Structure formats: C-alpha cells, structure tokens
Amino acid sequence: MKNLKLYTDAELFDLVKNGHSFAFSEIYNRYWEILFRHAYRLLKDKDLAKDIVQEVFVSLWDKIGELDLQFSINAYLYKSVRNKVLNLIEKDKVKNNYLESLAAFINSSEAITDYRLRERLLKEKIEKEIADLPPKMRQIFEMSRKQNLSHRQIAKELNLSDKTVKKQMSNAIKILRLKLGGFIVLSILLKLISI
C-alpha cells in the first residue's frame, strides 16, 4: 500500500467507506487545522472552533456509510463547518433575544406585585449561585459584573493573564446558565399560569 499522503481525497473516502479507519485518520490530519482556522475566523473563539471541528468529524464518521459525496470531501467538510457555525450563531441569537425580551418584561412597569416577589426570588437564587462559584472564579465574575472592570483590569489587579480571566469568566457563565436555566423557565411559566 502506498503512503496515505499520496492518496487523493476520493480514494481516502472510498477506503473509509470500506471500513479502513486509518484512511479516516489521514482525512482528519489533512483537514483538521484548515477547518479549525475556518471556524475560528468565523467565531473568534478557539474552544468553540475546536468543538465545531470535532463535531464535524464525529458526524462524518457516523454518517460515512450513508454519504454519497457529489462534491469533494473538502467541500463537504467546509460546508459542514459553516453550517454548524451558522446553527450556533442562530441558537445564540435566539437565546439572546429571549433573554432581552425577558429583561424587558421584568423591567416593565406593568409587572404585578407577585411577579416582583418572584423577581426578588430569582435575584436571590442568582446571588446564591454566584456565591457557590469557586472562590477565584466568583471574585473574577463579581469584579467584571458588579465593578464593571474589563478582563485586562481584572488580570492586572489579580496578577493573572488576560486569558485566565477570560477563561474563568467563560466557565462562570457556563455554570450559571446550567444552574439557572431551569429556574428562569419555571419563573416564566409561573407568571404565564397566573395571568
């Protein structure tokens, strides 16, 4: 068998379809870096870009038996990355629109008294979840959200790198979304039921 680097994409694809995982490894090695750069250029987030590319390759592996590529594997992979990025952006846009409309509703002067009570309970729940964050993460989160300091200012004050501060903020937001997601939905459902 000749060196895999000498195989065309079409030849590698046929080998993978016939169960040769070493050919899949070659496709992965050939395109991972290029696809990562493509995803990063669109998202400006290395972790998200890595996740997207990984998902594309997992999906390719899962669907390889069903695929009948009319275009090159290169075109298929690029299109898959682009579609996953667009789906992620759309999902974030919907989530942001939801949160903005929720914030507008909460700030509405028409909110009834019992809703204000639920709002206070939600704020208390948020404060409790923030207090439960690991100490350094909580400190960074509060400096950012309550003192309105930039990542650079926080990094300088705590003698940390900007990257560490950014990662801690990202982790804090992920944790809070996970812990508060159901509570926010429940709060809205209770409001709708009481109307």
Side-chain angles (χ1 to χ4, degrees), residues 5 26 33 46 48 78 87 110-111 119-120 129 149 168 172:
K5 296 197 182 312
E26 177 59 27
E33 183 68 31
K46 287 183 180 178
L48 280 177
Y78 265 95
N87 288 343
E110 298 172 13
E119 181 182 5
R120 186 174 54 80
E129 293 303 338
L149 297 178
Q168 288 289 319

Side-chain angles (χ1 to χ4, degrees), residues 11-186:
E11 290 171 325
L12 288 171
F13 184 74
D14 287 339
L15 285 170
V16 174
K17 282 192 82 146
N18 289 315
H20 298 286
S21 59
F22 60 87
F24 184 83
S25 295
E26 177 59 27
I27 292 172
Y28 181 91
N29 292 334
R30 195 175 282 186
Y31 285 104
W32 192 93
E33 183 68 31
I34 296 166
L35 295 173
F36 168 75
R37 285 196 308 262
H38 179 56
Y40 179 72
R41 195 171 25 252
L42 297 169
L43 294 169
K44 305 294 186 240
D45 183 310
K46 287 183 180 178
D47 291 332
L48 280 177
K50 286 177 187 176
D51 290 346
I52 294 264
V53 173
Q54 199 62 30
E55 286 177 28
V56 165
F57 279 110
V58 167
S59 177
L60 175 64
W61 179 256
D62 289 343
K63 295 178 182 175
I64 200 81
E66 307 162 15
L67 289 178
D68 184 25
L69 294 182
Q70 297 173 353
F71 305 101
S72 68
I73 188 77
N74 181 358
Y76 173 81
L77 291 171
Y78 265 95
K79 184 176 179 183
S80 296
V81 167
R82 189 198 67 206
N83 288 342
K84 285 199 178 287
V85 167
L86 292 175
N87 288 343
L88 180 68
I89 290 170
E90 185 60 33
K91 194 164 105 180
D92 278 350
K93 201 179 290 181
V94 168
K95 188 176 6 174
N96 287 339
N97 288 343
Y98 166 76
L99 291 174
E100 285 171 13
S101 68
L102 175 62
F105 180 74
I106 287 172
N107 292 327
S108 167
S109 61
E110 298 172 13
I112 54 179
T113 305
D114 66 333
Y115 184 76
R116 289 191 183 113
L117 174 62
R118 281 193 288 266
E119 181 182 5
R120 186 174 54 80
L121 292 173
L122 177 59
K123 286 180 183 175
E124 289 172 5
K125 174 73 173 162
I126 291 170
E127 289 300 322
K128 181 199 174 303
E129 293 303 338
I130 290 171
D132 288 345
L133 291 171
K136 183 60 75 175
M137 186 184 294
R138 182 181 69 239
Q139 181 183 19
I140 290 169
F141 183 85
E142 289 178 340
M143 290 174 80
S144 172
R145 294 302 191 248
K146 293 182 179 178
Q147 297 174 25
N148 294 317
L149 297 178
S150 70
H151 291 170
R152 187 178 304 259
Q153 290 169 319
I154 295 168
K156 186 175 180 183
E157 192 168 317
L158 298 179
N159 199 23
L160 299 170
S161 71
D162 287 0
K163 189 175 183 179
T164 299
V165 170
K166 183 178 179 183
K167 185 68 175 168
Q168 288 289 319
M169 280 298 297
S170 174
N171 289 342
I173 290 168
K174 284 178 190 173
I175 290 168
L176 292 173
R177 279 185 185 152
L178 283 173
K179 291 187 174 189
L180 295 171
F183 193 83
I184 291 171
V185 170
L186 178 62

